[in-house]
Amino acid sequence: MIWQALTLQLGYNAALVALGSAALGIAAGAVGGFLYLRKRSLVSDAISHATLPGLALAFMVMVALGGEGRFLPGLMLGSALSAGIGLWLVGRMTARTRLPQDAAIGAILSTFFGAGIVLLTIVQTMQAGRQAGLEGFLLGSTAGMLRADALIIAAGGAAVLAAVLALRRPLLMVAFDEGYAQVNGIGVARMDAALMALVLAVTVVGLKIVGLILIVALLIIPAVAARFWSERALHVVMLSGLFGGLAGYGGAALSATAPALPTGPIVVLLGFALFAVSLLVAPSRGLLAAALRHRRLQSRVHLRQGLLALSRGEPVYEAMTRRMLRRAGLTRPDGQPTEAGRAETARIRLDEARWQALRRSDTLTDLSSRDDGLTLIDSVLTADQLAALDTTLAPRGAT
Amino acid sequence: MGFEFVALSLPPMVIGTLAAIACALPGNFLLLRRQSLIGDAISHVVLPGIVVAFLLTGVISTLPMMLGAAGAALVAVLAIEAIRRFGRVEPGAAMGVVFTAMFAGGVLLLEQSDTSSVHLDVEHALYGNLESLIWLDAVGWASLVDPSALSLLPPELFRMAGVTVLVAAVVALFWRPFVLATFDEGFARSLGLPTGLIGLAIATLAALAAVAAFDAVGSIIVIAMFICPPAAARMMTDRLGAQVAWSLGFATLSAVLGYVMAGYGPLWLGRTDAVSAAGMIATVSGAVLLLATLLGPHRKHP
């Protein structure tokens, strides 16, 4: 069943929804990548919650005009309008009053959502039966989706994706370096507005599938996950799109296999799984890599300090250092250095003596800042410099 | 009028007001510390908490659910902090990752488990059920002085009142350290105040208010009351003491006016069914904020 779902064999509608959801996921991931690089991730939370009043109002208007209240393009238009107003208000509040952006986001989010709920309760008391389904926009549902709706979502996802591709260069430049973009004749404010329009488009297209409470996750989680893998803006955005696409496709396909698997939460949890894997195993930024790095540094420090103590003929008191020296085959069980240990000890001792000589020297003393207690002097000086330094060592004999 | 009002409208109105006050109070500090969205995050993660509590105990009862909610809030705070610190992710995004994922997990658990026999669903979690907190034993205003009738008030009222008093007492008791740590963390630290601990205390207070209010009135009121009344109050004054007073006034106004408009507004407009009180209270608080941002004497950047 799951395999069939993932290979699009559960019927034409389910396949259409899965493909549309994949396109939406890619677009959301990429847009979210730009949003994250611009540090505006949570604005999308305000936008998505602000769609609800427009959604309900559009339904009421369409019913009042004698049409079908659930006509998806009409609902999308209404939600886009009210989300646009919410977005505009967040901008105005942040610019014109002394409220910080997070407060403006929270205020718009809660007020619009509250108003939407009020309108929703009015819708529920209109002609019973016909409104069934508006609640589906809260958490998303693809069960029993109309063919026309599935087509609209697939086309919408593709359209947003095309818009992202078309705008990728200026968006990338602004995300990478505002000043540089300005010099290249790109209006930063205009590109930010375009980015917000894309966020709005993703939200409106995703309402039916992922739902307005969770669509924000599709804009945030893939981007945060992608950021772990790369330091380059373009790669982050591309990878974020890939993650979003995987989550969108997998979520829509899986939820088609059982009625109790709502699409939105599955999409979000798949995205979160990708994030968790990235957090753990990404090279350089991931937790495992960080732990390994820490471990390597730790062992270098302990070995060096242990060897220094041995070179002075002192016993090693630190239990961990003793263990590490033993494991590296540098000491015997009784704590005395082995053959290899004695060679290492001599090397470290020479290194230490050379650093001291460097500090006393007239020409090389500037380099003493490179002595962090771990760096070997051979990696700092040339062979000639070392030889010159060694001549100053000789007369002092054993220290 | 007397009987109906006392039995059907007074208790939810009082509970709504208490919830609004309990949330607005710590909201003032969160606003100034730029942590306003904590309320948003907490109210989302409460859902998996109560679902897990329900699955473990098999019953809908307040104590395990409050514990579950508090546990979930704690998990969320730790997860956000861990992702922020170990993953070097900016705080807003770390919060977005955690609360959406936990909310999604809660919804999925809820859909997968058999909760059809009990009153536990996503809608309830979102907009509560303020209208159902009625006092059927009241016979009129006289019931307010009748101990036997009073003891049958909805239990949410006593819980909410207790939490509100607790929150107010903590804020009053630690007023100076809270204010100092909020306005000038460096100065507060130089005075020897444990600023990290104070930040944690404020967040805990917010979580306590959110969990208690969530149980009674749903998350929309929680999110709105953490932000809108304090933000509106910020437009009215430069002094924190006055700001807190304004915010409590705005919170009370929103709760009472919102409840009245939801319960009676549609009737005045000739409709028969009331609308969501939680949604209307949030809407009114937003309208109050809108007026304050347009007219408040201290609305501009200083």
Side-chain angles (χ1 to χ4, degrees), chain A residues 175-260:
Chain A
F176 177 67
D177 187 339
E178 244 177 79
Y180 177 65
Q182 203 118 46
V183 171
N184 277 279
I186 293 167
V188 173
R190 222 175 50 235
M191 281 332 288
D192 275 344
L195 182 57
M196 286 304 153
L198 285 174
V199 172
L200 208 124
V202 165
T203 308
V204 168
V205 175
L207 276 188
K208 178 88 182 160
I209 299 183
V210 185
L212 63 91
I213 298 180
L214 288 173
I215 183 77
V216 55
L218 209 47
L219 286 158
I220 296 181
I221 296 180
V224 177
R227 184 69 184 84
F228 279 105
W229 296 89
S230 175
E231 304 289 329
R232 295 188 51 188
L234 180 65
H235 292 173
V236 170
V237 169
M238 280 166 51
L239 205 56
S240 175
L242 176 70
F243 286 167
L246 283 175
Y249 182 80
L254 285 181
S255 94
T257 61

Side-chain angles (χ1 to χ4, degrees), chain A residues 125-312:
Chain A
T125 60
M126 289 165 67
Q127 304 109 322
R130 294 189 60 187
Q131 78 286 356
L134 271 201
E135 290 80 11
F137 285 93
L138 289 179
L139 295 168
S141 74
T142 49
M145 190 183 277
L146 298 174
R147 167 95 24 118
D149 292 358
L151 275 172
I152 289 168
I153 289 167
V160 181
L161 188 55
V164 175
L165 285 175
L167 287 173
R168 69 186 187 283
R169 282 176 181 286
L171 281 175
L172 204 57
M173 225 183 255
V174 171
F176 177 67
D177 187 339
E178 244 177 79
Y180 177 65
Q182 203 118 46
V183 171
N184 277 279
I186 293 167
V188 173
R190 222 175 50 235
M191 281 332 288
D192 275 344
L195 182 57
M196 286 304 153
L198 285 174
V199 172
L200 208 124
V202 165
T203 308
V204 168
V205 175
L207 276 188
K208 178 88 182 160
I209 299 183
V210 185
L212 63 91
I213 298 180
L214 288 173
I215 183 77
V216 55
L218 209 47
L219 286 158
I220 296 181
I221 296 180
V224 177
R227 184 69 184 84
F228 279 105
W229 296 89
S230 175
E231 304 289 329
R232 295 188 51 188
L234 180 65
H235 292 173
V236 170
V237 169
M238 280 166 51
L239 205 56
S240 175
L242 176 70
F243 286 167
L246 283 175
Y249 182 80
L254 285 181
S255 94
T257 61
L261 291 175
T263 324
I266 303 268
V267 170
V268 174
L269 289 176
L270 280 181
F272 185 76
L274 289 170
F275 161 80
V277 169
S278 307
L279 174 71
L280 278 180
V281 305
S284 109
R285 273 180 164 250
L287 288 188
L288 275 180
L292 277 178
R293 234 183 355 256
H294 176 74
R295 181 108 195 127
R296 265 202 302 274
L297 179 73
Q298 198 180 30
S299 93
R300 275 179 71 197
V301 170
H302 277 272
L303 284 182
R304 170 108 186 178
Q305 292 305 321
L307 288 171
L308 272 177
L310 287 178
S311 75
R312 287 192 291 266

Side-chain angles (χ1 to χ4, degrees), chain A residues 45 97-98 102 118 121 260, chain B residues 40 112 234 237-238 299 301:
Chain A
D45 206 15
T97 74
R98 57 185 188 177
D102 66 326
V118 168
T121 49
Chain B
D40 186 22
Q112 291 284 298
R234 182 104 173 88
T237 171
D238 271 336
R299 61 184 186 276
H301 290 282

Side-chain angles (χ1 to χ4, degrees), chain A residues 2 6 31 89 114 134 139 144 215 219 233 239-240 243 316 320 326 330 340 352 357 366 375 387 392:
Chain A
I2 287 176
L6 287 176
V31 170
L89 281 172
L134 271 201
L139 295 168
I215 183 77
L219 286 158
L239 205 56
S240 175
F243 286 167
V316 179
M320 191 172 195
R326 277 282 311 281
L330 298 175
E352 197 72 1
D366 287 350
T375 313
T392 66

Side-chain angles (χ1 to χ4, degrees), chain A residues 19-42:
Chain A
L19 289 177
S21 175
L24 173 78
I26 297 172
V31 170
F34 290 119
L35 207 58
Y36 182 51
L37 293 172
R38 294 289 290 155
K39 298 198 187 337
R40 304 256 163 92
S41 289
L42 280 176

